[in-house]
Amino acid sequence: MTSTHSPTPNPTEVTHAVRAVIDAQFTWDYERSRDALVRLYEKAKTSQWNVSTDLDWSIDVDPERVADELGGGTTARFHALAEIDGSPVRHFGDKEWLQVGVEMQSSLLSQFLHGEQGALLTTARIVETVPWIDAKYYAATQVMDEARHVEVFARYLDEKLTSQYRINDNLRSLLDDILADSRWDITYLGMQIMVEGLALAAFGMMHTVTTEPLLKKILRYVMSDEARHVAFGVLSLQEYYRELSDAELRERQEFAFDAASRLKQRFIQAEVWERMGVDPEAIRRTLEQYRPPEQQMFQTLLFSKIVPNCKKLGLLDAAGGWLRERFTELGVIEFEDFTDTGAEYEMLDEVARDRAAAG
Ligand SMILES: [Fe+2]
Ligand SMILES: [Fe+2]
């Protein structure tokens, strides 16, 4: 599909507008008829946490120690790149590699921040456009969740890390396309299934690796919420997609695949190499010759929620199995039965567990 996004933003850009023509829909049917959404909404109302009071902001964070500790995930795995013929990082020593780690951490968390703002905007959109009262109620709680997520990542970057990054071009173009689309289900498919499915997997991996206590707690709490958000997408679209024709489902398959491709691109983190004074094109060529195995695994695992959820929506096998073929080519089809995100939110609710423990 063609992208409606504007080119690389001017570094001094303060706001960014996406034009959309949408139908804001009232419904006069107030009956609570969708039990699974009713349960999700009740859960959301009791699982709200507070960025200001539920987290210990007095914890000191050493960005270099965090980078070093994430070494298995960021710096060490890249050392082999220095050995490749024509590699632009041949001159890098320990100091540079540590800096790469620090920058990658800031870049990743900055993209989480911008993605969270995308979720804030798209979910506010769903409140207006979805035709069912139970979904409007639930989406309203998600708007509040996303405001807290933007708040928490902005504060962590500002108070605990040393640098910030503007939004990555691939993420920006995807968020723009989601917001520019007038079909309410595409907002869900783009955000709740693709972006949030990927975010849930990425948060989970970072949560496993880091021992920095503040970040660990932030990720745990954000994941509690994100698991509900993904469930919201699965429960809503499962019902709607049963009604669609093969031709309409094929459009959704193409949207999903295009989103997956752009989300995957985002993780090359060209902006980090650029800041390190390395030509991003040269590093891209080097990465084509050698992709550290841990990074390959990381990129594959990012799809561990997206693929099973596309299956639950019937998108893998609709229209002659077009999306199954694409995901097979991407090497991620193995995840099709990996997880049941529609029910997983109960298991991931750390907020409820902490509250129970505190009495
Ligand atoms: Fe979020
Ligand atoms: Fe979310």
Side-chain angles (χ1 to χ4, degrees), residues 251-266:
E251 284 174 18
R252 273 71 183 175
Q253 291 176 319
E254 286 176 12
F255 187 91
F257 179 66
D258 179 66
S261 311
R262 282 191 271 175
L263 287 168
K264 197 167 177 220
Q265 278 294 319
R266 182 192 122 182

Side-chain angles (χ1 to χ4, degrees), residues 56-66 69 156 159-161 211-215:
D56 180 4
W57 290 98
S58 71
I59 292 171
D60 259 337
V61 178
D62 173 0
E64 291 199 354
R65 204 181 68 85
V66 177
E69 171 193 281
Y156 189 85
E159 291 183 14
K160 307 297 179 187
L161 299 184
T211 61
E212 195 284 277
L214 177 57
L215 182 60

Side-chain angles (χ1 to χ4, degrees), residues 115-116 119-120 142 145-146 149-150 153 196 199 203 222 225-226 229:
E116 293 294 355
L120 176 64
Q142 187 178 337
D145 289 348
E146 304 302 359
H149 298 177
V150 177
F153 284 117
E196 297 190 298
F203 292 153
V222 171
D225 298 340
E226 294 304 341
H229 304 167

Side-chain angles (χ1 to χ4, degrees), residues 23-30 34 126-136 184-185 188 240:
D23 290 331
Q25 301 210 60
F26 281 94
T27 173
W28 309 126
D29 177 3
Y30 293 101
R34 294 176 170 84
I126 288 175
V127 174
E128 291 188 276
T129 56
V130 69
W132 311 327
I133 196 69
D134 289 317
K136 286 184 189 292
W184 66 262
D185 73 287
Y188 269 102
Y240 184 64

Side-chain angles (χ1 to χ4, degrees), residues 88-291:
V89 294
R90 290 183 81 89
H91 58 290
F92 274 24
D94 288 347
K95 189 169 146 277
E96 284 80 10
W97 286 116
L98 188 59
Q99 191 58 31
V100 169
V102 170
E103 296 297 334
M104 286 209 163
Q105 171 86 344
S106 293
S107 147
L108 205 52
L109 287 168
S110 298
Q111 301 316 320
F112 287 165
L113 167 68
H114 304 310
E116 293 294 355
Q117 191 184 165
L120 176 64
L121 270 58
T122 51
T123 310
R125 167 75 57 81
I126 288 175
V127 174
E128 291 188 276
T129 56
V130 69
W132 311 327
I133 196 69
D134 289 317
K136 286 184 189 292
Y137 288 164
Y138 181 78
T141 68
Q142 187 178 337
V143 173
M144 185 57 209
D145 289 348
E146 304 302 359
R148 286 183 286 107
H149 298 177
V150 177
E151 178 192 0
V152 80
F153 284 117
R155 183 163 174 187
Y156 189 85
L157 276 154
D158 181 46
E159 291 183 14
K160 307 297 179 187
L161 299 184
T162 48
S163 61
Q164 289 191 26
Y165 283 78
R166 63 176 173 73
I167 190 166
N168 168 284
D169 289 346
N170 287 295
L171 179 60
R172 174 183 163 109
S173 73
L174 176 58
L175 294 176
D176 283 7
D177 285 350
I178 296 171
L179 279 167
D181 206 295
S182 60
R183 296 165 294 183
W184 66 262
D185 73 287
I186 293 288
T187 321
Y188 269 102
L189 180 60
M191 181 50 63
Q192 271 78 1
I193 303 300
M194 305 304 295
V195 177
E196 297 190 298
L198 179 130
L200 190 53
F203 292 153
M205 282 186 268
M206 193 181 255
H207 177 261
T208 309
V209 175
T210 190
T211 61
E212 195 284 277
L214 177 57
L215 182 60
K216 215 173 171 70
K217 182 115 175 170
I218 290 173
L219 290 168
R220 260 181 29 150
Y221 277 11
V222 171
M223 284 172 71
S224 296
D225 298 340
E226 294 304 341
R228 280 196 309 274
H229 304 167
V230 174
F232 177 48
V234 173
L235 293 170
S236 306
L237 293 186
Q238 240 176 350
E239 175 179 340
Y240 184 64
Y241 284 2
R242 274 197 292 268
E243 319 281 308
L244 296 189
S245 70
D246 253 18
E248 288 166 324
L249 286 172
R250 175 61 185 270
E251 284 174 18
R252 273 71 183 175
Q253 291 176 319
E254 286 176 12
F255 187 91
F257 179 66
D258 179 66
S261 311
R262 282 191 271 175
L263 287 168
K264 197 167 177 220
Q265 278 294 319
R266 182 192 122 182
F267 280 88
I268 290 178
Q269 294 186 290
E271 54 274 17
V272 167
W273 299 106
E274 217 169 322
R275 195 171 285 186
M276 291 297 298
V278 173
D279 173 15
E281 192 45 36
I283 196 77
R284 196 186 57 72
R285 281 196 303 271
T286 305
L287 280 167
E288 265 169 21
Q289 291 174 61
Y290 174 76
R291 188 54 68 89

